[in-house]
Amino acid sequence: MVRRVEKQSIVECQDAEACGPDLGPDAWAKPKRSSRHKKHGHTEHNSEPIHQKSVESDFVDAPITSVKVGDQDLVLYGGANCSFHGHLNLDDGMGTVDSLAESANKGKVKWIAAGTLHNHKDSRNGVSPDDPRAKDQQGVPNVVDNPKSYAQMRQRADQISQEGETLVFTGLEMGTISKTNHLIVLEEPTLLIADLDGNTKEYPVRRFMEKPKPTEDGDQPVFHYKVKDGLAVIDFFRTHNRSKNSILAHPEDGAKQEKGFPKGVSPVHYFMDCYPNQYEWAANCGPFYTGIGAIQGMGLRNGPVERMSPKSLKLQPVFGYNDTGIKLGIVFERDQHYGDAAGRPAGMALLVPSGDKKVDKPTLREALGERRSMVSTSYDDLHAVTIANDKYVMGNVIDPKDIDSLRFKVLIGGKLDRNATYNVKLWADTALGDLKTATVVDEKSITGDELLRNHQQVLFDNVKYKSKNGNAFVMEIERTYLTNNGQTEVDVAAATTAIWVAPTDSVPAPLLGAGACNAPLRPKKQKH
């Protein structure tokens, strides 16, 4: 069902610097980026406004809700600000579980991560005395100094999720305030603490697996590991039967390609440097890693943001990690630090089973584990679902023996503009493991009016594929306008998680370099 919206005339600002950051809903400005942001490894993106644009727009509200795929009845569940990454006054953020849930309810946010807390003692080092967070953190111990507060946070989040409208997730952001080894570990019951003592620039002597130790009152088990000792962390996940619990947080843009690695992949991130090569890393970490940040939520900017640049969508790291063979769903990282779980137009959604049962946290965790996700820089304006062969959805892994070719269909929803053009790009990595990332193999352009007449569907021709090492197919969707000077400008971008054609639980054998797929754990020789 679609709902007609009154025609609007959009005339965008022609001078972002003159107007400043408080522009109207149809323009945006680029904020200055502080050294504090660089220290955290956060990338904040706003873009220059669309200049000299005057278009008569004809909007129609046409959100995607229910989706029928084969014998599956699914619901696209999510929206703006839905995220699995955020902070509280227990680490370097502001607010409590209750206050974040209240802000989410006001913003009608379906789910949030109130606290995925930094797990080391230096998390507040970058909070200056005049920062609003400093006052809120005053008198509140860092979570690593008061492990009981972690248990209390988790318990309160569960209560709110059962009683209220917003689902509240918790967990840990593992890693130092830098760009290395940041993992979001969702709903982790044990407080894993990164010990920063010693020279962390050198690969540390491995701490052998130890049983989590409870605090004195017995309420909160704690496990210590050296900050870069990924082997101990993965051993912990394996020993305690954690599965699909971790998200690769704020990956780099991938402008520089490291020798021997796909573009967008850093050999020192996410514990990759703990293994002899990327293939053994993927084989050992793949069972626990389930998501990757594709849009950053400007978490270190205080206050709401009306518009986010389409350039906020960063797919190169997604393509790079796809090529390693690890299978990750794309997510939005709201990463709030200033006590507001809303305030951004960007968001994400997950495909979940429909039914009378209310969507709960286990349902979303299962959908995230199966990678059935999509992201958008402005969710209310643009969101999408990818279907293949009328049977498979985004995030699915298809055995090559089950199909001869792929017929892709993209469902596009949101506040659709009849007078805009929607570009849909099919990105394909046709040989996983060859260090070459996805390229555009097909592209469709359709006006909003045509899209509505086509039942919000964009259809692609049959796609043949090479299946030796597996393939990955990602859809990117852009809403574009023609400006007065004849230029085409993108104002919203979205993407859906890959559909893979590969043996279900495999990691591709390397086409270049040394190493063997699914090899036993062989850590690097340690420096003593």
Side-chain angles (χ1 to χ4, degrees):
M1 178 180 294
V2 297
R3 181 171 64 86
R4 188 68 174 270
V5 179
E6 183 180 356
K7 289 186 178 181
Q8 301 179 28
S9 177
I10 301 177
V11 181
E12 301 220 12
C13 167
Q14 298 187 24
D15 190 344
E17 296 300 326
C19 289
D22 295 323
L23 304 177
D26 298 307
W28 58 90
K30 185 175 183 178
K32 294 182 179 179
R33 190 175 176 213
S34 70
S35 59
R36 165 72 173 155
H37 299 168
K38 295 178 182 178
K39 186 176 181 182
H40 274 75
H42 294 270
T43 303
E44 297 197 355
H45 295 282
N46 260 341
S47 81
E48 298 78 12
I50 299 176
H51 289 167
Q52 300 175 340
K53 172 188 166 188
S54 180
V55 179
E56 180 78 5
S57 290
D58 186 1
F59 290 111
V60 176
D61 273 349
I64 296 174
T65 52
S66 60
V67 179
K68 179 76 172 179
V69 183
D71 59 356
Q72 301 179 80
D73 292 312
L74 302 171
V75 173
L76 188 64
Y77 191 83
N81 297 289
C82 289
S83 169
F84 294 105
H85 187 174
H87 297 274
L88 299 172
N89 62 6
L90 295 173
D91 60 342
D92 67 339
M94 279 180 64
T96 64
V97 171
D98 285 271
S99 66
L100 264 293
E102 182 179 355
S103 73
N105 276 320
K106 288 181 179 178
K108 298 181 179 180
V109 184
K110 292 182 178 178
W111 85 79
I112 62 170
T116 47
L117 307 179
H118 290 293
N119 69 334
H120 58 88
K121 62 183 180 182
D122 288 350
S123 62
R124 295 175 175 174
N125 281 2
V127 182
S128 62
D130 59 347
D131 191 305
R133 293 175 291 169
K135 182 178 180 181
D136 197 53
Q137 293 166 8
Q138 191 172 5
V140 180
N142 189 316
V143 65
V144 300
D145 296 321
N146 181 27
K148 188 175 181 179
S149 65
Y150 185 72
Q152 294 168 338
M153 173 190 72
R154 295 186 65 248
Q155 181 180 20
R156 183 59 186 143
D158 286 343
Q159 291 174 345
I160 293 172
S161 298
Q162 292 171 3
E163 299 167 0
E165 294 299 320
T166 299
L167 300 176
V168 182
F169 288 86
T170 60
L172 298 166
E173 182 173 5
M174 298 175 61
T176 57
I177 299 294
S178 68
K179 292 187 177 182
T180 60
N181 294 338
H182 279 230
L183 283 179
I184 301 298
V185 185
L186 287 176
E187 299 291 289
E188 174 54 53
T190 298
L191 177 57
L192 290 84
I193 297 178
D195 291 336
L196 305 181
D197 54 318
N199 184 359
T200 58
K201 292 183 179 180
E202 296 292 331
Y203 190 87
V205 176
R206 182 182 180 196
R207 172 176 292 190
F208 290 100
M209 186 64 199
E210 60 185 58
K211 186 177 181 180
K213 297 176 181 179
T215 56
E216 290 183 3
D217 56 18
D219 287 339
Q220 177 58 60
V222 175
F223 175 72
H224 290 264
Y225 68 98
K226 288 195 178 292
V227 67
K228 292 182 68 177
D229 190 355
L231 300 180
V233 173
I234 297 304
D235 274 355
F236 176 90
F237 290 163
R238 184 181 294 112
T239 303
H240 291 81
N241 297 316
R242 307 294 193 247
S243 177
K244 301 298 181 185
N245 64 335
S246 299
I247 294 168
L248 311 189
H250 41 73
E252 289 187 345
D253 293 348
K256 177 183 177 183
Q257 182 169 5
E258 299 282 349
K259 184 177 180 180
F261 293 87
K263 187 176 180 181
V265 171
S266 171
V268 298
H269 287 194
Y270 314 119
F271 303 132
M272 190 178 291
D273 57 347
C274 299
Y275 296 90
N277 54 67
Q278 60 181 298
Y279 310 103
E280 292 190 29
W281 169 80
N284 285 283
C285 297
F288 311 105
Y289 295 175
T290 191
I292 183 170
I295 301 176
Q296 310 304 311
M298 303 169 65
L300 288 169
R301 178 170 173 176
N302 192 2
V305 173
E306 292 287 346
R307 301 286 292 183
M308 289 184 65
S309 165
K311 295 179 182 178
S312 301
L313 175 63
K314 296 294 182 181
L315 289 179
Q316 187 57 57
V318 177
F319 299 151
Y321 286 97
N322 276 347
D323 192 67
T324 68
I326 202 165
K327 299 175 179 66
L328 303 168
I330 55 177
V331 304
F332 169 59
E333 297 184 66
R334 174 62 182 88
D335 195 17
Q336 82 277 344
H337 282 74
Y338 285 92
D340 183 8
R344 300 292 183 268
M348 66 173 292
L350 293 161
L351 279 175
V352 301
S354 65
D356 297 332
K357 179 184 175 183
K358 181 181 176 182
V359 176
D360 55 14
K361 289 205 291 184
T363 301
L364 289 183
R365 284 289 306 278
E366 180 180 358
L368 180 65
E370 295 182 3
R371 305 167 296 267
R372 300 193 300 262
S373 61
M374 61 76 51
V375 298
S376 174
T377 60
S378 183
Y379 186 91
D380 290 342
D381 286 318
L382 181 64
H383 46 265
V385 173
T386 297
I387 300 169
N389 296 13
D390 294 320
K391 181 178 180 181
Y392 307 101
V393 297
M394 53 206 189
N396 283 174
V397 182
I398 308 171
D399 193 307
K401 298 190 299 292
D402 293 340
I403 58 173
D404 296 320
S405 62
L406 289 169
R407 302 179 305 280
F408 286 106
K409 175 171 63 179
V410 182
L411 307 180
I412 298 176
K415 190 178 180 182
L416 301 183
D417 187 350
R418 292 183 182 276
N419 296 328
T421 297
Y422 292 81
N423 294 330
V424 186
K425 300 177 184 178
L426 172 57
W427 293 83
D429 188 330
T430 56
L432 299 178
D434 66 352
L435 306 187
K436 298 176 183 178
T437 57
T439 58
V440 177
V441 296
D442 200 357
E443 183 172 0
K444 304 289 184 181
S445 292
I446 185 171
T447 67
D449 187 59
E450 292 171 329
L451 183 62
L452 288 163
R453 286 190 279 111
N454 290 347
H455 307 288
Q456 299 173 239
Q457 300 179 12
V458 177
L459 305 178
F460 283 78
D461 299 329
N462 282 11
V463 176
K464 296 292 184 180
Y465 54 86
K466 302 174 183 177
S467 59
K468 179 179 179 181
N469 266 17
N471 311 153
F473 300 92
V474 173
M475 289 292 182
E476 180 183 13
I477 305 96
E478 299 171 331
R479 187 175 73 182
T480 70
Y481 291 95
L482 189 66
T483 63
N484 286 347
N485 62 2
Q487 299 296 314
T488 298
E489 298 279 2
V490 180
D491 76 333
V492 184
T496 61
T497 291
I499 290 177
W500 287 266
V501 180
T504 306
D505 295 316
S506 72
V507 172
L511 299 182
L512 299 174
C517 168
N518 294 317
L521 198 67
R522 292 193 290 107
K524 288 181 178 180
K525 291 182 179 180
Q526 310 295 336
K527 294 181 180 180
H528 295 277

